[in-house]
Every structure is written in C-alpha cells, then in structure tokens.
Amino acid sequence: MSVKRKRPALQQKREEVNKRAILWIGTGIALLIVLIIVLILISQP
C-alpha cells in the first residue's frame, strides 16, 4: 500500500493568497491613515 501525501501546491497557493491579502489590507489601512491626516490638516484654520 502506498502512503497518500498531501499536495504541496495547495499550501503554496494558500500562502500566496495570504500574502496578497495582507498586502491589500496593509495598503488600504495606509491609505485611510493618509486620508485622515490630510482631512485633519485641511480642516484646521
């Protein structure tokens, strides 16, 4: 009987998706922070 092995491609895909998700979330948060700072600076007299 042969031992069934898990496919390594699935793990690589998950890591790649996670890296992309982290990149998008980080970019979104950075843009929100920059936008808030700009709005605060504009609103000051």
Side-chain angles (χ1 to χ4, degrees):
M1 292 176 66
S2 61
V3 178
K4 291 184 180 179
R5 285 191 269 172
K6 292 181 181 178
R7 298 179 187 169
L10 291 176
Q11 291 177 352
Q12 289 175 356
K13 266 189 175 180
R14 286 181 186 169
E15 288 177 5
E16 184 177 338
V17 170
N18 287 340
K19 286 179 183 177
R20 281 189 175 183
I22 290 171
L23 180 67
W24 277 105
I25 291 170
T27 304
I29 291 172
L31 287 174
L32 278 174
I33 292 171
V34 169
L35 182 65
I36 291 169
I37 291 171
V38 168
L39 288 174
I40 289 172
L41 290 176
I42 290 174
S43 68
Q44 289 181 350

